[in-house]
Amino acid sequence: MGKFVLERLLQLFLVVFFVATITFFLVRISPGDPATIMLKANNVPVSDESIDALRSELGLTNSVGGQYIEWIKQIFSGNWGTSFVSQKPVINELIARLPATLELAIAGLAIMLAITLFLGISSVIYQNRTLDKIGRVLALLGSAIPTFWLGFLSIYVCSVTLGWLPSMGRENWKNVILPASTLGLGLGAIHARVLRANLLDMLQQPFVKASKARGISKNRIFVFQLLKHALLPIVTMTGTSFAFMLGGSIIVETIFSWPGLGQYVIESINMRDYPVIQGYVIFASLLFLVIHMLVDGISILIDPRLNAE
């Protein structure tokens, strides 16, 4: 286990370093000058003098190499710079918006797991019957529909047409239903197909046939053998999906005006707020890495043989 932890920490260090480097140079070759955009956004007359003064204040007059070295130092010292717009530490701004994204991700994960388990298990129990066929069609549709289209469709049907649920903000529990469903439906459909394929493959394994030959009931085989072996891929899928929901919910948060990390980084991109954009990418990368480390550790606890690979 000690070797496992050291390897993962080394991987984390290398990934953060490369992600930080790539992000730094990508944001600087993107079109648009932060100083000019900020002056226009605040209705300040744009002139060469005002642009130069603001660029100097933001530290953009230094050489790119100097800015890069300073950025790398800041990352590993825990100081991720100050937002050009709010003039607040980037790490504080990200942490302040994390609870909203975390709430949305947990709700989306719950919906995803419910869909995955229901469609995946029912389609195996009722294989080639009506429920299985309906489940396969729903899983195919769910995995084929783009997230942004599903979000707009849910707003039109549930909010505009029927008036059942709010479509924007984070006022109460009702506000989370539509964005969480948009996040969870597509991933749930994809994972349901994977779970169904895994369970059907396991049904052909020798240990299942041997259990049937010993007279063990189908229900007992399914609960105590098939589901036990299916636990490992479910854990992996759950961890990967949760990491995706935390770091990749930008589209959903923007559509539903959810005040989380995704909406914040979109606003920062529009304003060319370099420290926030760079900090968000590093923050999302760390979330991905930490969650995957936890998933790897849980997988080893479930199946110790993985530690030997």
Side-chain angles (χ1 to χ4, degrees):
M1 184 59 72
K3 181 181 178 182
F4 167 80
V5 173
L6 289 176
E7 289 178 351
R8 293 301 185 273
L9 289 177
L10 178 60
Q11 291 176 6
L12 186 147
F13 175 84
L14 293 175
V15 169
V16 169
F17 175 77
F18 284 114
V19 168
T21 300
I22 294 171
T23 304
F24 176 87
F25 288 105
L26 282 179
V27 297
R28 275 157 181 75
I29 64 175
S30 61
D33 178 54
T36 303
I37 294 174
M38 289 176 62
L39 290 173
K40 290 181 178 179
N42 292 284
N43 297 318
V44 177
V46 179
S47 63
D48 292 340
E49 291 78 10
S50 60
I51 292 175
D52 291 340
L54 185 54
R55 284 179 60 84
S56 177
E57 181 181 341
L58 298 177
L60 298 175
T61 55
N62 301 330
S63 66
V64 175
Q67 294 180 47
Y68 170 71
I69 293 173
E70 185 63 27
W71 164 235
I72 294 298
K73 289 180 180 178
Q74 288 178 346
I75 292 175
F76 294 104
S77 66
N79 174 21
W80 292 3
T82 303
S83 169
F84 289 167
V85 177
S86 66
Q87 295 300 309
K88 296 180 180 178
V90 171
I91 189 65
N92 292 348
E93 293 280 87
L94 296 175
I95 291 176
R97 290 163 175 79
L98 180 60
T101 297
L102 193 61
E103 177 186 336
L104 179 59
I106 292 174
L109 187 68
I111 293 174
M112 185 209 76
L113 286 175
I115 294 172
T116 298
L117 295 175
F118 176 75
L119 291 181
I121 294 175
S122 63
S123 62
V124 173
I125 295 176
Y126 302 98
Q127 185 181 359
N128 296 325
R129 293 160 67 178
T130 302
L131 186 58
D132 179 28
K133 294 177 181 179
I134 294 174
R136 280 188 284 174
V137 171
L138 292 176
L140 183 62
L141 287 175
S143 59
I145 297 176
T147 301
F148 70 89
W149 191 85
L150 182 61
F152 288 128
L153 179 64
S154 63
I155 290 175
Y156 178 75
V157 174
C158 298
S159 296
V160 178
T161 304
L162 301 175
W164 288 348
L165 296 167
S167 61
M168 296 183 180
R170 189 191 171 213
E171 297 177 2
N172 52 51
W173 63 270
K174 293 182 179 180
N175 291 87
V176 77
I177 294 177
L178 289 183
S181 299
T182 303
L183 269 180
L185 284 174
L187 289 172
I190 295 172
H191 294 334
R193 297 176 66 187
V194 175
L195 180 60
R196 178 182 184 273
N198 287 340
L199 289 174
L200 289 176
D201 180 64
M202 289 180 187
L203 282 172
Q204 307 303 319
Q205 297 300 315
F207 71 88
V208 175
K209 296 179 180 179
S211 297
K212 290 180 180 178
R214 292 198 301 269
I216 301 177
S217 66
K218 291 183 178 179
N219 291 336
R220 188 175 180 83
I221 292 173
F222 191 86
V223 173
F224 293 100
Q225 295 187 22
L226 292 183
L227 287 183
K228 179 181 178 181
H229 285 81
L231 181 61
L232 189 59
I234 289 176
V235 169
T236 303
M237 290 188 300
T238 301
T240 302
S241 299
F242 187 59
F244 168 79
M245 291 177 183
L246 284 175
S249 58
I250 293 177
I251 295 176
V252 173
E253 290 189 5
T254 303
I255 292 174
F256 292 95
S257 296
W258 189 261
L261 292 172
Q263 186 182 34
Y264 178 54
V265 76
I266 289 294
E267 296 171 355
S268 301
I269 290 173
N270 292 332
M271 293 298 293
R272 300 301 187 276
D273 197 340
Y274 290 167
V276 172
I277 299 170
Q278 295 169 173
Y280 171 79
V281 174
I282 299 299
F283 195 69
S285 300
L286 287 173
L287 289 176
F288 266 84
L289 291 168
V290 170
I291 291 174
H292 279 292
M293 287 174 63
L294 292 175
V295 169
D296 288 343
I298 294 172
S299 300
I300 291 175
L301 291 177
I302 295 174
D303 188 353
R305 293 174 300 176
L306 295 174
N307 197 28
E309 297 180 359

